[in-house]
């Protein structure tokens, strides 16, 4: 099998040299090598390498781009990736380490959540599945995420469910539930966490307000331009609802 | 391993239950389509050779993309082609297992009887002729299609996709030594089939 590994290009220089030396003095192995090489070359050049049809390729492109990554998010990440590439990997790693040291965890998540919220508002693509029925919204996430977010309707409390979408927070697909309150929109981001339960805490950033909590292995981030008191009320009602 | 048996797929547990992860990754992840779509032909070719049917191959690739989308968070970077092909392979094996009838195959699988050298040295035929008979596309495709599925997959990944042993081992969920012995048996079988078919 060393002869085979040699013709498959899997040997390092030293082993390849040792094989070559052996082949010089061994007619039997030379014959084996020649045969293996012919079999490999014949297979490589003569066997059919099937290609996907154009129609199939188009359908799969739509499928691959449809669910987890919405177009706006994709563009943003590609630019970001290109920027990092041009900046150089070493510098990027250094910058990332500094971020890890200096920015508290919640700050990073809040910014990421806010990015997603604003991206959705600006692109006019805030909702992938529009429904006021939690029994429609919840199953919609099945098969699109590797977890099932809890979905509740708070219409009775003045925060009707409008729908949901899949959004990326820091590169990870998350569920974003969209609620209304008058003319305001509230995004409730949900993703699994290994952290234990944590009571709701408020933060604010750039005129937007946030409430975050952890419950039953899920991290929640509510973000909105609502005033803090109303957003707190939303968070309390949500946690109390069935 | 017994002769000619299609085995359960080792290593697919990794796709069954990705660990929950907080979005704490420091660099933005690439999108799923940018990882998967460049390898669509490789995915289709592998599925086509494993299923030996064009329609089923498309079904397998579509299912694999859906599975890939769902578990994309488990993609830890690295070789996107190997990651996607591993999913394609697992979907295909699930379907083959469900299909039955493929549990036993006529050729020796991972058994040890005979050797490539013996086969090629068989006095009944000239080895040059045996391999020469392979040089006909339709015939070679038929020979390859007749190999046990694990040997076929090893040849397709090694010689058609030109992947290194390490990547093939990752896709098949087996050690590199197993990849080497499957390739060895596959090539011995190809030579033997070429000879038998042409006699």
């Amino acid at each position: 099998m060393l002869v085979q590994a040699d013709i498959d290009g899997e040997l390092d220089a030293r082993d390849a040299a040792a094989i070559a030396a052996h082949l010089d003095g061994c007619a039997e192995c030379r014959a084996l090598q020649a045969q293996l090489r012919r079999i490999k070359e014949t297979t490589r050049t003569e066997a059919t390498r099937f290609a996907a049809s154009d129609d199939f390729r188009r359908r799969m492109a739509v499928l691959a781009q449809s669910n987890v990554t919405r177009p706006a998010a994709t563009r943003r990440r590609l630019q970001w990736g290109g920027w990092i590439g041009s900046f150089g990997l070493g510098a990027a790693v250094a910058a990332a380490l500094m971020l890890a040291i200096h920015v508290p965890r919640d700050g990073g998540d809040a910014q990421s959540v806010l990015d997603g919220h604003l991206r959705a508002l600006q692109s006019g693509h805030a909702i992938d599945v529009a429904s006021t029925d939690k029994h429609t919204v919840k199953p919609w996430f099945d098969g699109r995420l590797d977890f099932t977010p809890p979905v509740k309707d708070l219409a009775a409390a003045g925060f009707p469910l409008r729908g949901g979408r899949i959004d990326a927070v820091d590169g990870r697909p998350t569920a974003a539930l969209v609620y209304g309150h008058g003319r305001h929109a509230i995004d409730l981001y949900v993703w699994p966490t290994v952290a234990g339960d944590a009571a709701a805490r408020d933060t604010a950033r750039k005129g937007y307000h946030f409430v975050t909590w952890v419950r039953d292995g899920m991290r929640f981030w509510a973000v909105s331009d609502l005033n803090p008191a109303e957003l707190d009320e939303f968070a309390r009602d949500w946690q109390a609802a069935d | 391993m017994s002769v000619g048996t299609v085995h359960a797929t080792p290593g697919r547990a990794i796709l069954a239950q990705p660990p929950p992860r907080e979005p704490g990754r420091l660099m933005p992840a690439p999108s799923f389509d940018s990882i998967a779509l460049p390898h669509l032909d490789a995915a289709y070719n592998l599925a086509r050779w494993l299923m030996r049917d064009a329609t089923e191959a498309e079904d397998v690739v579509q299912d694999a993309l859906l599975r890939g989308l769902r578990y994309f968070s488990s993609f830890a970077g690295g070789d996107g082609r190997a990651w996607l092909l591993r999913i394609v392979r697992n979907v295909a094996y699930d379907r083959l297992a469900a299909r039955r009838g493929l549990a036993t195959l006529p050729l020796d699988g991972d058994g040890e009887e005979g050797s490539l050298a013996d086969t090629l040295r068989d006095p009944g035929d000239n080895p040059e002729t045996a391999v020469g008979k392979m040089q006909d596309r339709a015939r070679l495709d038929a020979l390859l299609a007749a190999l046990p599925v694990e040997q076929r997959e090893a040849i397709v990944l090694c010689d058609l996709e030109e992947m290194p042993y390490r990547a093939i081992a990752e896709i098949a969920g087996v050690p590199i030594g197993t990849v080497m012995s499957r390739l060895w048996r596959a090539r011995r079988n190809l030579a033997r089939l070429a000879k038998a078919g042409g006699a």
Side-chain angles (χ1 to χ4, degrees):
Chain A
M1 279 197 275
L2 268 182
V3 175
Q4 172 177 260
D6 186 34
I7 66 142
D8 283 334
E10 292 276 345
L11 293 187
D12 62 28
R14 204 178 49 168
D15 286 346
I19 282 280
H22 173 74
L23 286 173
D24 276 348
C26 179
E28 196 173 350
C29 284
R30 269 204 309 278
L32 178 62
Q33 183 198 39
Q35 289 307 316
L36 276 172
R37 208 168 250 160
R38 287 198 64 172
I39 294 171
K40 181 184 174 76
E41 275 312 297
T42 307
T43 313
R44 204 171 65 77
T45 55
E46 297 299 320
T48 305
R49 185 171 189 262
F50 295 98
S53 71
D54 288 346
D55 173 58
F56 183 65
R57 189 183 306 279
R58 268 193 298 276
R59 281 190 287 130
M60 292 308 102
V62 171
L63 178 78
Q65 291 161 354
S66 60
N67 293 328
V68 170
T69 356
R70 293 175 306 108
T74 307
R75 273 198 303 278
R76 174 174 281 255
R77 273 205 299 274
L78 287 177
Q79 285 164 5
W80 182 227
W83 182 79
I84 283 205
S86 65
F87 197 62
L89 187 63
V93 169
L97 286 173
M98 285 170 63
L99 268 178
I101 291 163
H102 292 300
V103 178
R105 177 44 166 280
D106 273 6
D109 282 352
Q111 186 59 51
S112 213
V113 162
L114 179 57
D115 285 346
H117 181 65
L118 295 177
R119 199 161 60 219
L121 291 177
Q122 285 160 7
S123 68
H125 196 119
I127 295 179
D128 284 337
V129 53
S131 174
T132 57
D133 184 355
K134 64 180 179 181
H135 299 296
T136 302
V137 175
K138 189 178 171 70
W140 182 85
F141 285 106
D142 288 348
R144 292 178 167 86
L145 290 170
D146 55 3
F147 64 96
T148 309
V151 180
K152 301 174 181 180
D153 181 25
L154 299 181
F159 301 100
L161 178 67
R162 288 180 182 167
R165 70 173 183 278
I166 291 177
D167 209 335
V169 172
D170 219 351
R172 191 206 193 291
T174 63
L177 305 174
V178 185
Y179 292 87
H181 186 66
R183 288 184 317 170
H184 300 275
I186 304 167
D187 277 346
L188 180 62
Y189 285 83
V190 187
W191 64 78
T193 176
V194 291
D197 287 2
R201 282 179 298 103
D202 295 4
T203 42
R205 183 180 285 249
K206 296 179 183 167
Y208 289 83
H209 295 101
F210 306 80
V211 182
T212 180
W213 68 93
V214 176
R215 182 72 174 273
D216 295 336
M218 292 285 169
R219 156 85 56 190
F220 296 85
W221 273 95
V223 55
S224 177
D225 58 356
L226 272 181
N227 66 60
E230 284 182 307
L231 193 61
D232 279 346
E233 188 192 334
F234 167 79
R236 271 197 310 276
D237 287 345
W238 201 93
Q239 292 180 79
D242 292 328
Chain B
M1 284 201 256
S2 60
V3 168
T5 305
V6 177
H7 291 275
T9 54
R12 34 180 311 239
I14 197 171
L15 294 173
Q17 206 41 265
R21 182 164 58 195
E22 288 234 39
R25 276 185 294 173
L26 296 166
M27 283 203 276
S31 61
F32 174 75
D33 55 313
S34 75
I35 293 295
L37 290 180
H39 308 302
L40 190 65
D41 274 339
Y44 179 76
N45 186 46
L46 178 62
R48 180 71 177 71
W49 274 111
L50 291 179
M51 305 309 292
R52 296 185 287 197
D53 179 271
T55 309
E56 285 203 63
E58 291 196 348
D59 287 350
V60 163
V61 173
Q62 174 159 340
D63 277 7
L65 286 179
L66 285 169
R67 216 184 267 193
L69 269 168
R70 183 165 183 170
Y71 297 123
F72 188 50
S73 56
S74 76
F75 176 63
D79 188 346
R81 182 165 60 152
W83 181 77
L84 179 65
L85 292 189
R86 179 171 184 156
I87 303 175
V88 167
R89 185 222 189 242
N90 287 338
V91 172
Y93 273 56
D94 283 351
R95 288 184 173 230
L96 290 173
R99 203 204 258 169
R100 308 268 176 240
L102 278 168
T104 53
L105 289 157
L107 285 162
D108 62 319
D110 287 341
E112 264 307 340
E113 78 286 0
S115 72
L116 178 59
D118 289 345
T119 304
L120 294 171
R121 234 186 280 114
D122 188 335
D125 201 349
N126 179 349
E128 297 288 326
T129 326
V131 181
K133 284 170 187 164
M134 289 167 59
Q135 289 168 349
D136 160 350
R137 182 173 289 268
R139 219 175 117 49
L140 182 61
D141 281 356
L143 295 183
L144 195 46
L147 288 181
V149 64
E150 289 168 342
Q151 295 175 16
R152 204 183 322 140
E153 133 192 307
I155 289 287
V156 166
L157 294 174
C158 179
D159 291 342
L160 299 189
E161 298 300 335
E162 307 194 349
M163 299 186 88
Y165 289 175
R166 183 181 36 74
I168 300 171
E170 189 186 327
I171 292 166
V174 296
I176 285 179
T178 306
V179 172
M180 291 169 74
S181 65
R182 283 178 183 170
L183 280 169
W184 182 261
R185 293 190 180 93
R187 286 163 175 161
R188 182 183 64 201
N189 278 329
L190 282 175
R192 185 181 290 165
L193 279 168
K195 194 183 296 186

